Amino acid sequence: MEFSKLLISLFIFQVFFPCHMSIQAAPANSDLFREYIGAEFNNVKFSDVPINSNVEFHFILSFAIDYDSTTGSPSPTNGKFNVFWDSDNLSPSQVSSIKSTHSNVKVALSLGGDSVGDGYAYFDPSSVDSWVSNAVSSLTNIIQEYHLDGIDIDYEHFNADPDTFSECIGKLIKTLKNNGVISFASIAPFDDDDVQSHYKALWKSYGDLIDYVNFQFYAYDQGTTVSQFMNYFNTQSSNYNGGKVLASFISDGSGGLTPENGFFTACSRLKSENKLHGIFVWSADDSKRNGFRYEKQSQALLAISH
């Protein structure tokens, strides 16, 4: 009798709470470490950066930009991307080499960035369809030439409204994933009203296609405290609800919560709350001068059983 009651209870439970309901599991701790590289042309190489074999490691090449690269004052090309990173030191053969040496390494490229030449790099599409078509074509060529695994979206200036940005970037990511060109995608917003309006629109429509949120916590004021950082982290986790929001610092110490002032204390706290979805750093170019000490410390923290 009791057994049949239990079965009936289970049946009722399944009717009202079917297993296939799309409740997204909350992201948990991860061993993901990511580092931007190549924007500052100071000859940093993949092989300079210490890689802990017990983490998942992503290099992010900075940047591919849809501007022409041949003129003195670059102009937008409506989705026809060119390489603007230090490709002499970060070449296709060097990508292949670091990936074959370290099986835990993947390499991505980042789109946009703050500036190009002497001016800002604008997201400036002529139309959604033409931009997406050009972007898919040009980026597929670059990604395949360089043996890359994913993309990161880091536009910071916009000549288009949030819905246009959302459709362009969302369709780009969807097409590249469907075509098997990339296996992951991330976005890199920061706490600015115009920036957030664009990325939150993208998240609302295409968040299920975005694997990581590289939130630029170092864009907050220099002198950020641990408790402020924790508040910022929780705020951005609700803005990008269900997303894997990564903790971050800038290695020149110019903003946010620095390693010297408690960044790893905050990370340990996040880890104890099961919210440390990974760490990323801007950038290897700047870290070269301090011997990558905080890259080592970040990876050591992530490598402890997550």
Side-chain angles (χ1 to χ4, degrees):
M1 183 68 183
E2 290 304 314
F3 183 66
S4 60
K5 273 187 183 170
L6 177 65
L7 282 180
I8 290 164
S9 303
L10 281 171
F11 175 73
I12 291 168
F13 182 82
Q14 281 209 307
V15 169
F16 288 101
F17 304 99
C19 296
H20 56 74
M21 282 171 64
S22 59
I23 300 167
Q24 206 173 355
N29 287 336
S30 156
D31 59 0
L32 177 63
F33 179 78
R34 316 187 85 204
E35 179 131 45
Y36 289 89
I37 189 169
E40 294 172 25
F41 288 81
N42 68 349
N43 300 320
V44 68
K45 296 180 172 67
F46 299 122
S47 54
D48 293 336
V49 183
I51 296 166
N52 185 317
S53 60
N54 295 312
V55 302
E56 184 182 353
F57 194 113
H58 293 178
F59 283 109
I60 306 173
L61 292 161
S62 314
F63 292 95
I65 315 175
D66 55 330
Y67 273 63
D68 58 55
S69 55
T70 51
T71 62
S73 54
S75 56
T77 55
N78 189 39
K80 294 177 181 171
F81 281 86
N82 288 297
V83 168
F84 281 85
W85 66 77
D86 182 1
S87 55
D88 287 345
N89 288 292
L90 304 164
S91 66
S93 64
Q94 280 148 327
V95 172
S96 295
S97 174
I98 200 71
K99 285 169 68 172
S100 63
T101 310
H102 298 276
S103 61
N104 58 321
V105 168
K106 292 186 169 71
V107 185
L109 57 73
S110 187
L111 308 185
D114 176 53
S115 60
V116 58
D118 296 327
Y120 290 139
Y122 282 94
F123 177 74
D124 193 8
S126 303
S127 69
V128 172
D129 288 347
S130 64
W131 189 92
V132 171
S133 174
N134 288 336
V136 167
S137 170
S138 60
L139 287 170
T140 297
N141 288 339
I142 294 170
I143 289 164
Q144 292 179 341
E145 179 190 355
Y146 277 83
H147 323 290
L148 305 180
D149 304 287
I151 63 170
D152 175 64
I153 312 299
D154 188 23
Y155 282 105
E156 303 185 1
H157 308 281
F158 306 91
N159 283 338
D161 62 46
D163 286 342
T164 303
F165 177 71
S166 171
E167 286 307 300
C168 286
I169 300 299
K171 287 178 175 176
L172 170 66
I173 294 171
K174 187 170 190 173
T175 306
L176 291 177
K177 282 194 166 185
N178 286 347
N179 292 350
V181 176
I182 60 170
S183 57
F184 59 84
S186 57
I187 56 174
F190 58 96
D191 190 31
D192 168 272
D193 289 346
D194 189 40
V195 169
Q196 290 277 61
S197 69
H198 285 77
Y199 283 94
K200 282 160 80 174
L202 172 62
W203 184 259
K204 186 177 176 189
S205 297
Y206 292 98
D208 58 325
L209 293 174
I210 296 164
D211 301 280
Y212 315 108
V213 180
N214 280 14
F215 199 86
Q216 299 183 43
F217 289 104
Y218 45 82
Y220 288 105
D221 289 346
Q222 192 175 19
T224 295
T225 64
V226 171
S227 60
Q228 285 174 320
F229 181 93
M230 298 299 289
N231 288 336
Y232 296 152
F233 184 91
N234 289 330
T235 299
Q236 301 311 333
S237 295
S238 62
N239 278 333
Y240 299 94
N241 191 26
K244 293 176 181 169
V245 177
L246 275 61
S248 62
F249 67 88
I250 188 166
S251 44
D252 69 1
S254 60
L257 176 61
T258 61
E260 295 88 348
N261 288 343
F263 175 77
F264 293 111
T265 303
C267 287
S268 296
R269 200 168 291 178
L270 288 174
K271 194 163 189 172
S272 71
E273 297 174 8
N274 214 27
K275 292 179 186 170
L276 186 60
H277 315 310
I279 295 171
F280 80 89
V281 181
W282 179 276
S283 63
D285 310 54
D286 288 323
S287 294
K288 191 178 174 186
R289 69 176 66 95
N290 71 14
F292 302 98
R293 65 183 282 202
Y294 297 124
E295 278 78 358
K296 293 173 191 167
Q297 195 171 343
S298 298
Q299 292 175 77
L301 175 63
L302 292 167
I304 301 164
S305 175
H306 64 278

